[in-house]
Each structure stands twice: as structure tokens, then as C-alpha cells.
Amino acid sequence: MRQTPATIDGMQIAIIGMRLLEVMFFVGLLGSAVVVLISFVEDGKELFGDE
């Protein structure tokens, strides 16, 4: 008698989708950090009058 592995059909697609969402999340987080850094530098210039 042959045993079949207990797998869920489409699980590979779900894992790929989760990895894609994970990458998109971290790319968005990095982009937001860049925007905050640029805003911080611009506000610092305006506050200290280096412009």
C-alpha cells in the first residue's frame, strides 16, 4: 500500500504569494524611510537657515 504525502494543492502558489508580499512590504518600508530622511534633512536646513 502506497502512502500519499499530506500536502495541500496550491500551497506553492500561496508561499510564492506570501514571499512576494513580504518583499513588497520591505521595499515600501525602505521607500518610506528614504522619504522621512529627505524630509528631516530639508526641515533641518529650513530650521537652521542653511538655505
Side-chain angles (χ1 to χ4, degrees):
M1 183 175 191
R2 224 174 140 194
Q3 285 186 338
T4 58
T7 59
I8 300 171
D9 292 335
M11 186 57 78
Q12 287 299 110
I13 295 170
I15 290 174
I16 290 170
M18 286 174 15
R19 294 295 179 209
L20 183 63
L21 286 173
E22 188 177 338
V23 168
M24 288 169 59
F25 173 77
F26 283 110
V27 168
L29 191 66
L30 182 64
S32 296
V34 168
V35 169
V36 168
L37 187 64
I38 290 171
S39 297
F40 181 74
V41 169
E42 292 296 321
D43 287 345
K45 284 181 183 177
E46 190 173 325
L47 279 173
F48 298 115
D50 289 342
E51 233 172 56

